[in-house]
Amino acid sequence: MTDFFQLVFSGLATGSIYALTALGFTLLWQASGTVNFATGEFVMLPAFSMLAFMSLGLPLLASFGITMLLSILVLGWGFKRVIVDPLIRHGMMPLIVATIGLSMMMRNGVRAGYSAEAFSFPSLFSDSIFTIAGIRISASDFGTFGFAIVIIFGVQMFIQKTVTGRAMQAVAQNTESATVLGINVKRMVLYTFAINAILATTAALLVTPVYLAKFDMGSGLGFKAFLAAIIGGFSNSRGALLGGLIIGVSENLAGAYVSPAYKDGVALALFMVVILFKPTGLLGKTIERKV
Amino acid sequence: MTKHTQAPRLHFFSSNSIKLAITSLISITLACSLSTPAQAADSVKLASIVELTGSGATAGTNFKNGVNLAIKEINAAGGIMGKKIETTVMDTQSNPGIAKGLTKKAIDDDVFAVFGPVFSGSIIVSMAETRRAEIPNFTGGEAADITMQGNPYIFRTSFTQSIAIPKVANYIRRIALIKNLAIIYVNNDFGKGGNDVMLKSLDPSKTKIVADISTDPGQIDFSAAILKAKQSNADGIFVYVNEEESARILRELKKQGWNKPIVGETTLTGQKVIDLAGDAANGVRAHVGLTVDAPNPAIRAFKAKFEKEYKYTSDHNGMKGYSGVYILKAAIEKVGKFDRKAVAAALHGIKISTAAQPGVLMDVEIDNKGDLNRASFMVEVKNGKQEVILELPMIPTQH
Amino acid sequence: MTTPTKRNTAITVVITACALIVPHFLKSYGLYLLTYWLIYVICTMGLNLIVGYAGQKALGQAAFLGIGAYTSAILLKAGYSFWLALPASGALCFLMGILVGFPALRVQMVYLAFATMGFSELLSLVMRNEEWLTGGTFGISDIPRPSLLGISLDGNVAYYYLVLTCTVIISLLLWGILRSPWGKAFTALRDNPIRAESLGIDIQRYTLLAFAIGSAFAGIAGALFASLVQFIEPSPFNTQISIMMYLMVVIGGPGYFLGPVIGAAIGVLAPEALRFAEGWYLFLFGAIVVGLMLWLPNGLLSIPVLLREKRLAREESSARANFRSLATTKNGGAR
């Protein structure tokens, strides 16, 4: 029985990683209709940026700070101005393709320009391991999970309780009405992109110690993020959390009790079921058909 | 709302699109036929067909770097019998279909020898091509069946799994005295091949395999896998996965308080894995065919040169590429002329010592199937560094 | 307006001649690449039907390519003739297309993209794990090439002609479908699904049909692929490749008949053309994709349309300017 809980707790920790990545993706889609296929690479790039600064001698938190600023500029504002704004009026297809191209650029740019190797990444948390009732949980498990909860609920609070957050919600739900209400739509959308960049960088900080920095870390992470966002539903941020945790835990349980070879299968099957029967996700609201 | 232009799209041939199509067809034709570079009379051409992107990127890149380092050195010293080496590097994208095409291209370019691919799936297709064209093909792959196809033009640069794994099995049974073994392997041709050989090498009356756990390439969370190993009451575990996953498994083993022997093969105790796993790597033992940390002057020299050139430490793939080029050089020098068939024939049964050719890094023999025979090591990780605990000499060949 | 059929026939003859003669100018690599490209053309034509004409976002085409390839390979290794394996692959993929499409197509837009991605991943898992069927990660090797009426099509040139013939036949088939009432229904679906429904078109049935046909094309391409490379394993059929194929359709121009020809050419030949960039060629490719989207969001084949629009706009504005100047002179030259 302790084994079961061991698997669940490890799964929750891994799941928080997926949830953090899924959150930015969710927000972006929700608030601006941008489906970003480069979500994973948006986490990979800040990770390497931090590594680069640290190799120049800067301590972790300083590297994090500088990377954060760069992210907001490049992955937030830059991404919006250069790619999203010109393309969004042509429909979803060109934008999706552009983000696919972007993910190729980022992935291969890092591979060719930095290295094809994997790198370790310092963790914010110590190496200690706690044994509680026979279950072994590391400090980093706790930390990642804890941070994920705090961040996700923080974002939720921001969106629902602050004026800016409510304005962003209004823009997401109905851009025209929002404009009529006097909301500066452009600025709200910009905020969304900036927040996405912040979330991606924070995710990088928390995820990379476990994931290890490698040019292709974005592919696997990004895909799991899509699964998490869809399963959980993305009309609110808790969906990303739920989706991520479900995937993390089901992978472990499937790996132990079903078959190690098909451990990804359970998450995928769940994903297919959700997408076919309740595409807005477990916590989502049904979309009305726009005529 | 998607915007759609009023193009008469059902017209098969609008004049502009037709012009575009013709131009493309002609340019493709020209590009392909003109892509053969001129043959320089006093150079020997090599092709590196490796995985530079995709799942094999790390191994392929390191292999290529090793090859390029060797070529650079040889050219600086005057080339092979006076001829400089020219090399082209091509990316298979870890896709056998593309590897096949690139091998055809190398053959069209009339190269003397091909280095790579590293991934077994890609080697299977490319070696069929090099065999038809009678071009020596050096590979970094370790799968057993590469040299079991009767192909006289394929040569390894590392042990075949059917030689390396039994050595580990011997260690497990005779020295580590493990009675109940758990195995964790990665579900790709590398891992599955090794697992299959291990299952055959262990005599079930002496060592029982109590768990045989498959994992995915790129897997992050190994708690389920390790838990299974613990539940099986094994008194030792054999880990056979790729680099990053090795690091993650070692950390998970430490986290779950595993205090029994951990044994592996070359990848498990590579410096990269030690760096990534940190403390968790200490105490792990592995059979290693090629390691940059061997107490061998030729290898030490290589390690330093590689780090100087590429600013990171080579792994065994770099050594494979590097030594492979020197093996080719030794064979060419032995034959005395640039004759592909003669060189391939000379490679079978060749014995090269580091005294004569330091670039091969360790004394090596190649048998008539293309397998190589070398000494190897049992290492243990102590204080974050590989330490050789046993030297296993070359098994004398009985032909 | 009648199309100048004389010109069209001449052009067709030129292209056919090129396609037939080209092998003799190429060495084995060029021939292989060309054959590879043609196979991708068949596959992306199928995808173009789904994405460009029926307007669905399908990201699982490589999985169907894989189903076709494995079906053919398994049948061939079991001793069946290629001429049975080829249509069998197409038929099986048609059925799978219906099976997958039936639930999947009920979801909208981007959800379908994810559903097909999910299907692609699941299939990759199966291909990798079910060793008894697919050979697992070791794959299936030594896949034979067919022979026709005693003549072996084993040689590279002969196989090229086979693939070329198949490509032509499939294109004509697609052309026929598009000109039929089905084809009109497909385009109606893409341009305005609600209106189409009001006109009595059963959206579900037609999208399912488009999806199944498109998947069948991939199946046929897969069978040809298996005998081209003569070795298959799961990696050429993963989600990344599905995404690449989607890129090819969009770059060529979704909904343009020859879009896949251009798109597949770019996708297959770009690594060749960009070889000078060494390690950076995929980076450049990604950059080209992004640039292409910013500049030509409707694909390369929209260039003539854009040029025409520009020309029309210029003509209109100059006509307006003329009119204005005429008007002012009429009024005595005063402003």
Side-chain angles (χ1 to χ4, degrees):
Chain A
M1 209 42 195
T2 29
D3 290 342
F4 177 79
F5 284 110
Q6 175 74 63
L7 293 169
V8 169
F9 276 96
S10 300
L12 289 177
T14 321
S16 333
I17 292 177
Y18 302 145
L20 284 169
T21 320
L23 188 57
F25 175 70
T26 298
L27 223 63
L28 215 53
W29 189 348
Q30 216 184 317
S32 70
T34 312
V35 178
N36 183 8
F37 265 67
T39 301
E41 279 72 27
F42 269 39
V43 173
M44 185 268 293
L45 209 57
F48 271 92
S49 158
M50 287 190 264
L51 269 180
F53 281 118
M54 284 191 283
S55 71
L56 290 175
L58 288 172
L60 176 60
L61 288 176
S63 311
F64 177 64
I66 303 180
T67 304
M68 181 66 85
L69 295 172
L70 286 175
S71 278
I72 297 179
L73 190 64
V74 176
L75 299 177
W77 183 80
F79 178 54
K80 177 181 179 293
R81 276 313 300 307
V82 176
I83 305 218
V84 181
D85 282 342
L87 285 178
I88 197 128
R89 49 200 155 93
H90 292 286
M92 252 195 210
M93 230 200 270
L95 184 56
I96 289 180
V97 174
T99 55
I100 294 175
L102 193 64
S103 78
M104 280 181 86
M105 281 176 71
M106 292 163 97
R107 199 164 46 230
N108 290 288
V110 170
R111 182 188 56 79
Y114 198 95
S115 169
E117 303 267 306
F119 293 91
S120 64
F121 194 90
S123 172
L124 283 177
F125 313 105
S126 75
D127 255 344
S128 20
I129 300 173
F130 306 98
T131 320
I132 304 174
I135 304 172
R136 306 179 79 97
I137 310 184
S138 70
S140 119
D141 285 346
F142 268 127
T144 321
F145 184 68
F147 261 87
I149 302 265
V150 166
I151 292 175
I152 286 174
F153 279 97
V155 171
Q156 187 84 0
M157 292 285 116
F158 174 74
I159 297 253
Q160 286 184 340
K161 302 283 162 98
T162 66
V163 174
T164 325
R166 309 268 278 276
M168 284 167 72
Q169 266 194 315
V171 167
Q173 277 166 13
N174 195 326
T175 324
E176 280 153 8
S177 315
T179 324
V180 167
L181 287 170
I183 296 177
N184 187 337
V185 169
K186 274 192 150 173
R187 197 184 306 163
M188 292 303 123
V189 175
L190 188 60
Y191 285 171
T192 315
F193 278 85
I195 293 182
N196 181 42
I198 296 175
L199 287 172
T201 317
T202 318
L205 182 66
L206 293 169
V207 162
T208 322
V210 173
Y211 235 82
L212 302 176
K214 195 173 173 192
F215 70 96
D216 65 358
M217 69 186 272
S219 328
L221 192 55
F223 187 70
K224 294 277 165 71
F226 300 153
L227 296 187
I230 301 265
I231 291 179
F234 43 85
S235 42
N236 65 57
S237 338
R238 289 188 307 258
L241 181 64
L242 182 64
L245 295 180
I246 289 181
I247 295 181
V249 174
S250 72
E251 270 180 356
N252 274 358
L253 294 179
Y257 299 116
V258 176
S259 142
Y262 280 102
K263 78 173 181 30
D264 283 344
V266 172
L268 273 171
L270 188 58
F271 169 77
M272 299 293 276
V273 166
V274 168
I275 232 191
L276 295 177
F277 299 107
K278 192 165 195 264
T280 43
L282 294 172
L283 291 184
K285 300 186 260 277
T286 357
I287 317 176
E288 278 118 28
R289 181 152 147 168
K290 297 196 184 102
V291 180
Chain B
M1 259 295 273
T2 37
K3 168 184 143 183
H4 289 284
T5 47
Q6 303 298 306
R9 268 168 250 179
L10 286 183
H11 277 183
F12 200 110
F13 296 129
S14 90
S15 59
N16 288 318
S17 57
I18 248 338
K19 283 184 202 146
L20 210 52
I22 293 186
T23 329
S24 321
L25 196 59
I26 295 182
S27 357
I28 295 164
T29 316
L30 285 173
C32 291
S33 48
L34 295 179
S35 65
T36 333
Q39 265 262 36
D42 52 355
S43 69
V44 53
K45 283 203 280 196
L46 297 179
S48 284
I49 303 179
V50 277
E51 293 74 10
L52 293 179
T53 52
S55 43
T58 325
T61 310
N62 290 339
F63 186 81
K64 167 200 73 136
N65 285 342
V67 169
N68 285 352
L69 184 63
I71 292 177
K72 189 169 169 192
E73 276 178 11
I74 294 176
N75 281 347
I80 304 182
M81 297 192 328
K83 282 200 187 187
K84 298 263 170 136
I85 305 178
E86 259 178 46
T87 175
T88 348
V89 177
M90 297 186 262
D91 179 12
T92 67
Q93 300 179 42
S94 306
N95 182 334
I98 297 184
K100 182 171 176 139
L102 293 176
T103 317
K104 285 183 192 259
K105 179 170 199 213
I107 296 171
D108 288 345
D109 286 346
D110 200 32
V111 299
F112 190 85
V114 171
F115 281 85
V118 179
F119 264 24
S120 314
S122 302
I123 299 166
I124 304 255
V125 282
S126 71
M127 67 188 234
E129 300 292 321
T130 45
R131 176 187 193 164
R132 241 187 305 228
E134 298 182 324
I135 293 184
N137 189 349
F138 288 83
T139 171
E142 293 176 21
D145 58 352
I146 293 173
T147 40
M148 300 203 301
Q149 317 249 343
N151 182 333
Y153 286 93
I154 190 79
F155 303 99
R156 291 186 189 268
T157 54
S158 73
F159 282 144
T160 158
Q161 279 169 340
S162 44
I163 290 186
I165 303 278
K167 292 197 188 184
V168 192
N170 281 339
Y171 178 82
I172 287 175
R173 190 178 61 235
R174 299 224 203 100
I175 304 187
L177 299 170
I178 297 174
K179 291 266 161 57
N180 298 305
L181 182 70
I183 304 181
I184 291 191
Y185 67 96
V186 59
N187 192 5
N188 59 23
D189 49 15
F190 162 76
K192 279 222 81 204
N195 186 46
D196 288 345
V197 177
M198 179 57 93
L199 291 173
K200 275 188 285 204
S201 317
L202 285 173
D203 177 356
S205 61
K206 306 239 178 65
T207 320
K208 234 177 95 188
I209 303 200
V210 291
D212 196 26
I213 306 163
S214 114
T215 61
D216 286 333
Q219 186 167 325
I220 307 295
D221 193 336
F222 288 94
S223 44
I226 306 295
L227 211 65
K228 261 201 146 115
K230 279 171 82 177
Q231 284 169 339
S232 66
N233 286 319
D235 47 68
I237 189 168
F238 174 63
V239 178
Y240 199 64
V241 297
N242 298 114
E243 251 101 14
E244 290 96 64
E245 292 76 13
S246 297
R248 295 190 192 115
I249 287 182
L250 290 179
R251 277 155 128 196
E252 187 68 31
L253 281 167
K254 175 165 182 224
K255 176 178 166 188
Q256 296 213 24
W258 179 274
N259 51 11
K260 313 215 183 73
I262 305 172
V263 186
E265 229 277 321
T266 313
T267 29
L268 190 62
T269 51
Q271 188 61 44
K272 186 91 239 174
V273 174
I274 299 177
D275 288 340
L276 294 172
D279 220 22
N282 286 329
V284 174
R285 286 174 239 153
H287 168 259
V288 172
L290 285 172
T291 166
V292 286
D293 291 310
N296 167 327
I299 295 181
R300 289 270 154 83
F302 162 78
K303 178 179 180 188
K305 280 184 276 195
F306 193 97
E307 273 175 24
K308 184 157 174 234
E309 178 79 15
Y310 298 110
K311 314 274 186 293
Y312 71 96
T313 317
S314 171
D315 69 350
H316 60 128
N317 288 303
M319 296 175 78
K320 289 183 206 173
Y322 184 87
S323 57
V325 179
Y326 277 100
I327 292 178
L328 176 66
K329 173 169 182 272
I332 296 177
E333 286 169 353
K334 181 168 179 198
V335 169
K337 56 180 158 78
F338 288 94
D339 178 336
R340 289 192 281 250
K341 263 180 110 156
V343 169
L347 277 166
H348 291 132
I350 200 171
K351 294 188 200 317
I352 314 174
S353 72
T354 47
Q357 193 82 245
V360 298
L361 302 178
M362 285 170 71
D363 295 351
V364 61
E365 284 175 18
I366 300 184
D367 71 6
N368 57 9
K369 289 195 299 215
D371 281 325
L372 45 75
N373 201 353
R374 272 197 287 239
S376 59
F377 309 94
M378 284 303 299
V379 303
E380 184 176 324
V381 180
K382 293 186 189 162
N383 290 320
K385 282 233 150 306
Q386 260 187 19
E387 243 183 62
V388 173
I389 51 175
L390 267 181
E391 272 194 52
L392 305 169
M394 210 185 311
I395 306 169
T397 44
Q398 318 112 328
H399 289 304
Chain C
M1 189 183 90
T2 49
T3 44
T5 33
K6 244 194 188 162
R7 184 178 62 167
N8 273 1
T9 350
I11 292 172
T12 327
V13 170
V14 169
I15 291 193
T16 325
C18 273
L20 289 172
I21 298 176
V22 129
H24 298 287
F25 292 106
L26 295 175
K27 295 201 178 161
S28 63
Y29 177 56
L31 201 57
Y32 182 83
L33 212 57
L34 214 58
T35 321
Y36 202 93
W37 167 58
L38 285 175
I39 291 178
Y40 263 67
V41 168
I42 297 179
C43 196
T44 41
M45 272 189 165
L47 190 59
N48 195 16
L49 182 64
I50 303 173
V51 172
Y53 288 99
Q56 301 296 311
K57 292 170 180 45
L59 285 180
Q61 194 73 340
F64 288 103
L65 185 72
I67 295 178
Y70 273 102
T71 310
S72 180
I74 293 171
L75 287 174
L76 287 173
K77 295 291 271 197
Y80 292 98
S81 151
F82 181 80
W83 308 108
L84 179 68
L86 184 65
S89 304
L92 183 63
C93 284
F94 184 85
L95 283 170
M96 293 286 308
I98 295 189
L99 275 171
V100 173
F102 188 71
L105 291 171
R106 286 196 280 132
V107 299
Q108 296 301 306
M109 305 189 304
V110 142
Y111 298 102
L112 178 64
F114 287 118
T116 43
M117 266 174 84
F119 171 69
S120 193
E121 281 291 319
L122 263 172
L123 214 68
S124 285
L125 265 181
V126 171
M127 284 194 246
R128 206 152 33 101
N129 292 318
E130 300 309 307
E131 211 175 311
W132 58 276
L133 183 66
T134 62
T137 48
F138 298 117
I140 302 180
S141 55
D142 290 327
I143 302 172
R145 285 193 185 167
S147 56
L148 179 60
L149 307 169
I151 313 169
S152 161
L153 292 171
D154 201 40
N156 296 320
V157 181
Y159 198 72
Y160 163 76
Y161 283 127
L162 171 66
V163 174
L164 182 65
T165 317
C166 288
T167 314
V168 170
I169 295 178
I170 299 268
S171 313
L172 291 174
L173 200 65
L174 186 63
W175 179 239
I177 292 175
L178 290 171
R179 295 192 97 188
S180 75
W182 282 359
K184 306 261 165 63
F186 291 152
T187 7
L189 278 177
R190 176 197 55 206
D191 291 336
N192 198 330
I194 297 166
R195 188 166 180 213
E197 203 176 15
S198 73
L199 289 171
I201 296 179
D202 185 343
I203 299 187
Q204 280 231 12
R205 177 140 47 107
Y206 282 100
T207 31
L208 197 57
L209 197 59
F211 194 78
I213 296 177
S215 309
F217 279 23
I220 293 183
L224 293 169
F225 183 85
S227 289
L228 172 69
V229 186
Q230 299 185 287
F231 169 78
I232 51 170
E233 46 102 61
S235 56
F237 312 120
N238 61 28
T239 321
Q240 286 298 317
I241 308 277
S242 289
I243 292 179
M244 254 317 226
M245 289 183 181
Y246 188 83
L247 281 184
M248 292 181 201
V249 171
V250 177
I251 289 177
Y256 288 91
F257 191 85
L258 289 177
V261 174
I262 311 283
I266 293 185
V268 171
L269 303 176
E272 261 309 297
L274 294 174
R275 208 167 284 288
F276 65 89
E278 296 243 326
W280 289 87
Y281 74 91
L282 274 180
F283 174 83
L284 273 182
F285 184 74
I288 290 174
V289 170
V290 176
L292 219 54
M293 282 301 103
L294 290 172
W295 179 44
L296 288 170
N298 283 324
L300 280 173
L301 286 183
S302 65
I303 292 179
V305 175
L306 288 174
L307 289 176
R308 202 177 310 136
E309 281 181 354
K310 267 208 175 120
R311 190 172 21 102
L312 282 174
R314 240 182 294 133
E315 283 172 10
E316 268 178 36
S317 64
S318 63
R320 253 180 272 135
N322 278 342
F323 185 72
R324 243 180 275 126
S325 62
L326 271 176
T328 49
T329 39
K330 257 195 167 174
N331 289 338
R335 241 208 282 139

